[in-house]
């Protein structure tokens, strides 16, 4: 039976559709949570430790991130990770710079409860390291999450998960830590229509609202629906083999 969320649930206005994971602070949709717990148990059997760095993310949190970046109160980076001068950018250029790293409020996959960011908690337990969620932590053989990433690229698909940002495809930056529960996320992505987004954004105190609304069809194509559809485990990313 197709999974349907209310507009409030789909766009992160409420977490009433989610459950809190046992042993973790993150909230996920029950279907994704069940699959994740099975995957986590299988990883433990293989000597791999998994933990969620970020599960559900509310609309208000995403809106705060967006507005702070637009106002120059939070760093806006170029595609190489270097800080940009917000005041030197035209509105459209600023919009694209933010979207490369941060989802449009109401359009984040983290709203759905189907998507989350994974890491290996063991290298960070003594406080000597801080998780940055950058590709080198996962793709570099010396990175703290490299072995987790290797295991996931080989086995995550067995539990219904895939990497929507496995590689940079001209939209969102590469995120080797971001997993999505395909049976659920595919349905919810189809629910997130331009009409739903337009009505929501019109009601929000969104910085750059005029520019965003004018380019919303392009944003949907380049950033929201532009994902890596394959499982990822058959590919080579970051210059390193997943096998």
């Amino acid at each position: 039976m197709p999974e349907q969320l209310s507009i409030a649930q789909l766009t992160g206005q409420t977490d009433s559709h989610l459950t809190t994971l046992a042993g973790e602070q993150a909230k996920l949709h029950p279907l994704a949570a069940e699959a994740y717990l099975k995957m986590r148990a299988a990883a433990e059997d293989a000597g791999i430790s998994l933990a969620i760095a970020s599960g559900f993310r509310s609309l208000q949190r995403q809106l705060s991130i967006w507005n702070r970046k637009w106002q120059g109160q939070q760093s806006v980076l170029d595609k190489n990770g270097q800080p940009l001068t917000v005041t030197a950018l035209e509105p459209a250029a600023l919009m694209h710079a933010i979207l490369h790293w941060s989802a449009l409020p109401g359009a984040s996959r983290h709203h759905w409860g189907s998507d989350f960011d994974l890491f290996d908690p063991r290298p960070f337990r003594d406080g000597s390291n801080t998780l940055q969620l950058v590709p080198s932590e996962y793709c570099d053989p010396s990175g703290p999450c490299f072995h987790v990433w290797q295991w996931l690229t080989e086995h995550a698909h067995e539990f219904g998960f895939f990497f929507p940002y496995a590689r940079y495809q001209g939209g969102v930056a590469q995120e080797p830590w971001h997993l999505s529960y395909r049976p659920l996320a595919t349905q919810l992505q189809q629910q997130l229509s331009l009409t739903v987004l337009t009505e929501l954004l019109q009601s929000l105190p969104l910085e750059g609202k005029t520019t965003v609304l004018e380019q919303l069809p392009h944003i949907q194509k380049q950033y929201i629906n532009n994902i890596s559809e394959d499982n990822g485990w058959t590919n080579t990313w970051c210059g390193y083999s997943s096998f």
Side-chain angles (χ1 to χ4, degrees), residues 118-195:
L118 276 184
F119 75 113
D120 182 346
R122 294 173 296 184
F124 305 98
R125 284 176 179 154
D126 63 2
S128 59
N129 295 308
T130 302
L131 183 67
Q132 301 293 324
L133 288 180
V134 294
S136 61
E137 292 175 317
Y138 293 76
C139 305
D140 190 318
S142 64
C145 298
F146 178 71
H147 295 296
V148 160
W149 173 71
Q150 278 200 312
W151 189 88
L152 289 170
T153 58
E154 295 182 31
H155 298 288
H157 71 284
E158 298 168 5
F159 302 91
F161 294 101
F162 76 108
F163 295 80
Y165 308 120
R167 63 194 65 80
Y168 175 60
Q169 299 184 159
V172 177
Q174 182 191 41
E175 296 186 354
W177 52 82
H178 185 137
L179 262 72
S180 182
Y181 186 55
R182 188 188 295 276
L184 181 62
T186 299
Q187 298 178 49
L188 300 182
Q189 185 174 340
Q190 294 171 354
Q191 275 189 251
L192 192 66
S193 67
L194 281 176
T195 299

Side-chain angles (χ1 to χ4, degrees), residues 26-176:
K27 292 183 177 182
L28 296 179
H29 188 284
L31 296 176
E34 180 181 7
Y36 168 70
L37 291 175
K38 291 178 180 178
M39 183 172 68
R40 188 177 71 181
E44 289 176 358
D45 290 343
I48 299 293
S49 182
L50 298 180
I52 294 180
S54 179
F56 171 73
R57 194 172 302 151
S58 72
L59 171 65
Q60 287 304 314
R61 181 181 173 192
Q62 204 67 37
L63 179 63
S64 175
I65 292 170
W66 179 276
N67 284 348
R68 287 177 58 81
K69 287 190 173 185
W70 196 281
Q71 295 164 352
Q73 298 172 357
Q74 186 171 330
S75 295
V76 177
L77 308 177
D78 66 15
K79 292 177 182 177
N80 296 314
Q82 299 303 308
L84 292 167
T85 302
V86 169
T87 55
L89 298 176
E90 294 294 328
L94 175 56
M95 180 194 73
H96 284 290
I98 296 175
L99 286 169
H100 183 73
W101 300 103
S102 299
L104 183 68
S108 173
R109 298 176 71 92
H110 283 275
H111 294 333
W112 307 340
S114 60
D115 288 53
F116 48 87
D117 301 333
L118 276 184
F119 75 113
D120 182 346
R122 294 173 296 184
F124 305 98
R125 284 176 179 154
D126 63 2
S128 59
N129 295 308
T130 302
L131 183 67
Q132 301 293 324
L133 288 180
V134 294
S136 61
E137 292 175 317
Y138 293 76
C139 305
D140 190 318
S142 64
C145 298
F146 178 71
H147 295 296
V148 160
W149 173 71
Q150 278 200 312
W151 189 88
L152 289 170
T153 58
E154 295 182 31
H155 298 288
H157 71 284
E158 298 168 5
F159 302 91
F161 294 101
F162 76 108
F163 295 80
Y165 308 120
R167 63 194 65 80
Y168 175 60
Q169 299 184 159
V172 177
Q174 182 191 41
E175 296 186 354

